[in-house]
Amino acid sequence: MLEPVAASRLQFAVTTIVHIIFPVMSMGLAPFLIYFTWKDIRTGKPIYEQLRRFWTKIFAISFVVGTVTGIVLEFEFGTNFAVFSTAAGDLFGGPLALEGMMAFMLEATFLGIFVFGRQRVGNVLYMISAVAVGIGTWLSAVWILVANSWMQTPRGYELVSENGQQVVMLVDPLAAYLNPRFIWMYVHMQNAAVESVALVLAGLGAYFVFRHHIWGYPIENVEFWETTLKFGLIALIITAPLQVLHGDLYARHVFETQPQKFAAMEAIWETESYVPEYIIAFPTSMEDLLDPRAKDIFGIGIPGGASWLASGGDPQATIRGLEEFEGPQPPVALVFWSFRAMVGLGFWFILLAVWGGYRWVRGQLLEDDLLHLALMASTPLGIFAVHLGWVVTEVGRQPWIIQDIMKTSAGVSSDLTGTEATVTLAGFTVVYLALLVLYLYVVARIVRSGPPAPADLTVTERPETPTDEVGADD
């Protein structure tokens, strides 16, 4: 049996890794659905109703499964991390409660109208429902990331003694909720969600376009998949460069606020200046893989690049090594290689965006088979990059559950046994993997069924006029 600390950490990791897929899909789809709904109402073109109805199905199933898997995470704070919940409840409980009362209720209230009410309400109310669902989805992320970012850079609190235990007392809600990390996490996460869904759209569209234009198979509603590919590519062209540029600034913020995590991201053990940034790194031995050290790794690096990244422009800047920080250290191998893979995927997405944009401008988007294959292979990679980012974020701050306040080992429930923690870990792993398989099966069924046929559409194309209920012409 695993010890309670290790089993609890693994259980939370497994449930989070599975759960995060569903909010990424719903948050990433929200802007697309708002646009598709607006264009559907404004123009009456069949393609926009097809896009709206098809992707609303995937949004709805993502919302449902995300809700089920997300509720369990909140209970895990009480069952596996009771000491942490007691100590930080004054601050941590508020954002989680607001996420349920404000964001979830807004989203759930209008989701019924958005999914089932197109023929029952007017255009204005239906458009409002689409916007409200999108706002609710993104507002959920606000409160979840307020709580998590506070654990990274805690502010607005005092430590007081209560029943012999040190607990966090909230003294400045504004400082706590708008802590230095929040805006960095929120922008990076939301852009990553849209980028991930852009890759899903582009990948699925490329699959059907490839089959139709390259292999010559007759594909029903091929215009739908061509349009899906183009919308995914447009979003990728916007989000991929933004993610890398924002990530550069985000890493600088991490260096300033969590220098131990930054040192783990770069596998820097000894304090030094003019530290290279390894764009490509390869382990040459099992020791390099399991215990990476920047000086010993074979790779292609930019001299002074890590120093430049950390300081904001000075390649001679000094970076504190891990040996200067009180142990235990984060699992450096997991953080270092996850960071490398995440950055590598970020540049790959930019390459895909430039490649696709170039082919589109040249009028060759629908005939480039290599591009289609690359987009198909990259369909799940956006979500995988999100997983890698959260590994860097959460594993990188170990051993702290609240940075410099409480260690993870001290936050685990004191009466939890190794047997209990191991059994629940195994149980939740089986259940969550089953839910993931079921989700993928349902999504695959939706994709195979395709968009609604033209005969099943409820609107007919009409000219845009100032009399349209939601406004004037584009």
Side-chain angles (χ1 to χ4, degrees):
M1 295 294 175
L2 296 172
E3 62 173 342
V5 175
S8 296
R9 289 178 61 186
L10 279 173
Q11 178 177 308
F12 204 88
V14 169
T15 50
T16 302
I17 284 171
V18 175
H19 166 73
I20 196 69
I21 296 170
F22 314 120
V24 164
M25 288 297 297
S26 58
M27 291 187 302
L29 278 171
F32 290 97
L33 289 177
I34 291 173
Y35 180 77
F36 295 155
T37 302
W38 177 59
K39 293 295 286 186
D40 176 23
I41 293 173
R42 290 288 301 276
T43 70
K45 292 182 178 180
I47 186 64
Y48 291 112
E49 183 180 352
Q50 287 180 311
L51 287 164
R52 173 183 60 78
R53 288 174 60 178
F54 177 85
W55 290 105
T56 295
K57 294 178 183 177
I58 295 179
F59 177 92
I61 189 65
S62 301
F63 172 80
V64 170
V65 182
T67 300
V68 172
T69 56
I71 290 174
V72 174
L73 295 179
E74 297 190 10
F75 280 103
E76 284 184 279
F77 288 116
T79 57
N80 293 73
F81 296 94
V83 176
F84 161 76
S85 299
T86 301
D90 194 33
L91 189 136
F92 211 72
L96 295 184
L98 286 170
E99 191 267 338
M101 293 187 296
M102 182 186 298
F104 176 77
M105 291 305 298
L106 175 66
E107 188 178 5
T109 299
F110 283 94
L111 184 62
I113 299 175
F114 184 62
V115 174
F116 303 110
R118 184 66 186 99
Q119 302 306 307
R120 296 174 173 84
V121 299
N123 287 346
V124 172
L125 180 56
Y126 191 75
M127 189 69 234
I128 290 173
S129 73
V131 173
V133 168
I135 291 174
T137 303
W138 280 46
L139 198 57
S140 289
V142 168
W143 297 113
I144 296 301
L145 293 179
V146 160
N148 188 277
S149 62
W150 182 84
M151 296 164 68
Q152 312 280 339
T153 54
R155 299 289 190 276
Y157 71 95
E158 286 183 0
L159 289 176
V160 298
S161 181
E162 189 174 287
N163 298 324
Q165 179 182 347
Q166 286 250 307
V167 299
V168 172
M169 183 174 69
L170 181 63
V171 295
D172 188 345
L174 194 61
Y177 292 172
L178 298 179
N179 63 80
R181 180 59 53 82
F182 167 69
I183 192 63
W184 293 103
M185 294 186 77
Y186 187 75
V187 172
H188 209 62
M189 182 64 210
Q190 301 311 99
N191 191 73
V194 177
E195 183 180 26
S196 298
V197 169
L199 286 162
V200 171
L201 265 67
L204 289 178
Y207 170 73
F208 288 99
V209 167
F210 180 84
R211 293 188 67 191
H212 183 77
H213 290 280
I214 306 302
W215 282 359
Y217 290 168
I219 299 295
E220 190 176 359
N221 295 311
V222 69
E223 181 190 357
F224 170 86
W225 296 111
E226 292 172 355
T227 306
T228 296
L229 167 60
K230 292 175 181 178
F231 272 115
L233 191 56
I234 290 170
L236 190 63
I237 290 171
I238 296 170
T239 57
L242 177 60
Q243 193 72 353
V244 170
L245 291 173
H246 184 265
D248 171 70
L249 299 174
Y250 189 178
R252 195 168 306 155
H253 170 73
V254 171
F255 169 75
E256 295 170 352
T257 55
Q258 292 178 301
Q260 186 178 19
K261 178 190 289 186
F262 187 86
M265 289 160 54
E266 300 294 342
I268 300 169
W269 290 85
E270 299 175 0
T271 299
E272 55 184 308
S273 305
Y274 198 64
V275 180
E277 175 67 27
Y278 288 98
I279 304 300
I280 301 175
F282 301 99
T284 56
S285 66
M286 188 58 67
E287 183 179 0
D288 286 345
L289 180 64
L290 300 178
D291 186 22
R293 294 173 181 265
K295 283 186 174 182
D296 303 328
I297 291 174
F298 173 78
I300 300 173
I302 302 173
S307 294
W308 183 89
L309 176 67
S311 65
D314 181 10
Q316 300 292 337
T318 300
I319 298 178
R320 292 173 63 191
L322 289 164
E323 293 178 352
E324 285 201 17
F325 298 94
E326 180 182 353
Q329 301 296 347
V332 176
L334 185 56
V335 177
F336 176 80
W337 294 115
S338 295
F339 182 67
R340 305 262 91 62
M342 179 186 66
V343 172
L345 286 174
F347 283 104
W348 169 244
F349 300 153
I350 290 178
L351 176 61
L352 282 178
V354 173
W355 184 2
Y358 174 75
R359 288 302 191 186
W360 193 352
V361 170
R362 294 292 299 271
Q364 301 168 335
L365 178 62
L366 304 181
E367 289 76 35
D368 190 335
D369 56 341
L370 290 179
L371 174 62
H372 299 162
L373 292 171
L375 288 171
M376 284 187 269
S378 300
T379 301
L381 294 185
I383 294 176
F384 181 57
V386 170
H387 284 141
L388 293 172
W390 277 105
V391 167
V392 174
T393 299
E394 298 304 304
V395 178
R397 68 177 158 93
Q398 297 303 317
W400 303 100
I401 192 170
I402 307 175
Q403 185 70 44
D404 299 326
I405 297 177
M406 174 182 282
K407 291 188 175 181
T408 305
S409 57
V412 173
S413 303
S414 56
D415 57 349
L416 183 67
T417 66
T419 300
E420 293 170 336
T422 304
V423 169
T424 57
L425 166 62
F428 276 118
T429 300
V430 171
V431 171
Y432 269 62
L433 289 179
L435 284 171
L436 177 58
V437 170
L438 180 61
Y439 171 82
L440 293 175
Y441 171 76
V442 173
V443 170
R445 286 284 300 269
I446 294 172
V447 172
R448 283 198 301 268
S449 299
D456 298 329
L457 300 180
T458 57
V459 299
T460 57
E461 186 170 356
R462 62 182 183 275
E464 298 174 9
T465 67
T467 60
D468 191 274
E469 284 190 71
V470 293
D473 296 340
D474 291 338

